[in-house]
């Protein structure tokens, strides 16, 4: 794909059908993997009218949900059904530094600067499981390809493997 502006991050959905990008200026872009279709995504303004840049974006398998992270507002889960309705992932006290869908899109993991790690059901944001309730800043979280495990790494050097279930 030949993009018209530089990007700082890119992810591919678990089913390989969607590409999500964050431009150097912090603007999100969601495209079909062939680049022929783009889904418009707009940042929601703050009360004073300012718009914060996005830090990350990922589309769930099936293309129904978009996850974005913003520096000061945490993570938002967007419905890509044409309404682009966003729901906030609440429960972390500080910035959500990393978030990821499982390859099937049926689970979502978030990790925060407050040291907490949470596992979500993205369709309804219900049944949240707290995997860790504090500690060092968690820098990264990811799922195994089969979705049965997650791995996290923290600023204190710890790398943890989790067995996860969203049933």
């Amino acid at each position: 794909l030949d993009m018209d502006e530089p990007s700082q991050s890119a992810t591919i959905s678990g089913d390989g059908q969607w590409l999500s990008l964050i431009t150097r200026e912090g603007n999100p872009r969601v495209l079909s993997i062939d680049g022929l279709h783009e889904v418009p995504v707009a940042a929601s303004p703050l009360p004073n009218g300012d718009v914060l840049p996005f830090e990350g974006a990922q589309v769930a398998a099936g293309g129904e949900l978009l996850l974005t992270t913003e520096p000061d507002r945490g993570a938002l889960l967007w419905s890509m059904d044409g309404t682009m309705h966003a729901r906030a992932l609440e429960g972390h006290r500080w910035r959500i530094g990393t978030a990821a869908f499982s390859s099937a899109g049926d689970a979502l993991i978030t990790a925060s600067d407050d040291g907490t790690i949470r596992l979500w059901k993205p369709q309804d944001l219900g049944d949240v499981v707290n995997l860790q309730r504090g500690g060092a800043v968690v820098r990264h979280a990811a799922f195994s390809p089969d979705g049965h495990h997650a791995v996290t790494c923290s600023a204190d050097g710890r790398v943890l493997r989790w067995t996860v279930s969203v049933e």
Side-chain angles (χ1 to χ4, degrees):
L1 295 173
D2 186 19
M3 305 306 294
D4 55 350
E5 62 181 315
S7 296
Q8 65 182 4
S9 72
T11 61
I12 296 176
S13 62
D15 61 4
Q17 300 300 306
W18 295 95
L19 174 66
S20 53
L21 306 168
I22 300 295
T23 67
R24 188 180 310 161
E25 290 76 30
N27 300 316
R29 294 188 68 185
V30 176
L31 303 104
S32 58
I33 200 69
D34 60 11
L36 298 177
H37 305 285
E38 184 165 0
V39 177
V41 182
S44 48
L46 298 170
N48 67 2
D50 291 343
V51 176
L52 295 175
F54 289 89
E55 289 184 327
Q58 184 178 9
V59 178
E64 296 175 6
L65 297 170
L66 169 68
L67 171 68
T68 60
T69 55
E70 300 179 18
D72 294 332
R73 297 193 3 194
L76 297 173
L77 192 60
W78 303 77
S79 172
M80 289 179 43
D81 61 2
T83 64
M84 291 308 289
H85 174 73
R87 297 174 287 164
L89 278 70
E90 298 179 355
H92 293 288
R93 292 183 321 239
W94 298 346
R95 174 184 163 271
I96 296 174
T98 184
F101 284 111
S102 63
S103 60
D106 61 347
L108 172 63
I109 191 168
T110 57
S112 171
D113 288 356
D114 65 9
T116 59
I117 302 166
R118 302 185 83 170
L119 183 68
W120 312 77
K121 285 184 178 179
Q123 294 298 340
D124 60 9
L125 297 183
D127 298 328
V128 176
V129 175
N130 290 307
L131 298 177
Q132 180 172 303
R133 296 183 186 270
V137 171
V138 182
R139 299 279 186 220
H140 187 73
F143 282 99
S144 62
D146 66 7
H148 296 291
H149 298 93
V151 65
T152 59
C153 59
S154 302
D156 62 3
R158 290 187 313 150
V159 176
L160 300 173
R161 183 180 64 93
W162 307 87
T163 300
V164 297
S165 173
V166 292
E167 298 172 9

